[in-house]
Amino acid sequence: EVQLLESGGGLVQSGGSLRLSCAASGFTFRNYALRWVRQAPGKGLEWVSAISGSGTVTYYADSVRGRFIVFRDNPKNTLYLQMNSLRAEDTAVYYCTKGNEYYFDDWGQGTLVTVSS
Amino acid sequence: QSALTQPASVSGSPGQSITISCTGTTNDVAGYNYVSWYQEHPGKAPKLILYDVSNRPSGVSDRFSGSKSGNTASLTISGLQAEDEADYHCSSYTSASTPGFVFGTGTKVTVL
């Protein structure tokens, strides 16, 4: 059974930083691209970032490019999202997801990030 | 990349059928058969219920079905049950960004 467990969320001031982690199990971690998806309060889902299985290729949504960094530690089966220069609009539940090229078939339970202005 | 358009809310009585639309453009819904749908109960992680427009993952009820016409994809829930009350999100591959993901605005389904 695939399990994705996010952690690291919390309350941070505008301009601050936070690092999210996603501990994975139940599949061969290095073989899969992973993504971060977020949901702001009362809003729809928004794709944030993606990383290849090797970690050498990364992608970012325009809204976070230059502020967020995605990386992974394959021996530790862990995905990370380093979030810098946080803004109020980054307030959301952040999900770690696994899937193929076209959809997301496994999700973590999410971790809440609240940015206070 | 603009979000796909979904109705904010849809409601129905138990046993009825309801349909949720997901409208995009030629860059996404109209151009590719890579529409997926996710069910989200309050406080829970989203769950994939349809992929590639109309395919159900193992374990998903056959009361959920999907279709597409032009730039609009649709999710139909037949024999509506109380447990179907949730938020539903569509997603599509898009050629307008790399990698190509775009989500819908989300729909709240209420079982009356």
Side-chain angles (χ1 to χ4, degrees):
Chain A
E1 180 191 5
V2 171
Q3 291 196 340
L4 300 167
L5 184 61
E6 302 94 338
S7 61
L11 176 63
V12 61
Q13 286 193 330
S14 179
S17 297
L18 213 53
R19 177 178 292 182
L20 306 184
S21 301
C22 172
S25 62
F27 62 101
T28 304
F29 187 76
R30 64 181 181 275
N31 288 350
Y32 289 88
L34 297 172
R35 305 119 178 191
W36 289 97
V37 174
R38 69 183 180 184
Q39 186 172 31
K43 302 291 187 179
L45 298 170
E46 178 189 18
W47 167 79
V48 173
S49 181
I51 186 168
S52 63
S54 65
T56 57
V57 181
T58 58
Y59 301 99
Y60 300 94
D62 289 345
S63 56
V64 307
R65 187 176 294 113
R67 300 186 298 121
F68 289 11
I69 301 171
V70 61
F71 59 102
R72 61 194 294 164
D73 186 333
N74 282 352
K76 292 185 177 180
N77 286 3
T78 303
L79 172 72
Y80 301 94
L81 185 67
Q82 176 66 42
M83 304 185 297
N84 302 321
S85 302
L86 283 162
R87 306 166 179 168
E89 54 264 36
D90 295 318
T91 294
V93 174
Y94 285 74
Y95 295 101
C96 167
T97 70
K98 167 188 165 290
N100 77 352
E101 187 174 357
Y102 303 114
Y103 55 83
F104 309 76
D105 56 2
D106 291 290
W107 300 64
Q109 88 291 347
T111 187
L112 176 62
V113 172
T114 303
V115 183
S116 65
S117 53
Chain B
Q1 175 61 40
S2 298
L4 306 175
T5 301
Q6 298 179 234
S9 62
V10 174
S11 62
S13 299
Q16 286 186 329
S17 293
I18 61 170
T19 297
I20 303 167
S21 61
C22 171
T23 301
T25 69
T26 54
N27 291 327
D28 37 68
V29 175
Y32 307 92
N33 290 324
Y34 296 128
V35 177
S36 53
W37 290 89
Y38 303 85
Q39 179 191 59
E40 183 188 15
H41 287 108
K44 302 286 189 179
K47 173 188 174 184
L48 177 69
I49 57 172
L50 290 174
Y51 65 95
D52 295 350
V53 177
S54 60
N55 293 322
R56 282 186 304 275
S58 174
V60 173
S61 171
D62 60 5
R63 297 186 299 103
F64 294 94
S65 61
S67 62
K68 191 187 83 166
S69 178
N71 65 345
T72 298
S74 299
L75 165 68
T76 297
I77 308 175
S78 305
L80 198 62
Q81 299 180 1
E83 67 205 49
D84 300 329
E85 185 161 297
D87 292 330
Y88 292 81
H89 307 271
C90 65
S91 178
S92 174
Y93 172 81
T94 175
S95 59
S97 64
T98 302
F101 307 117
V102 61
F103 284 102
T105 49
T107 299
K108 170 67 177 177
V109 167
T110 300
V111 181
L112 302 172

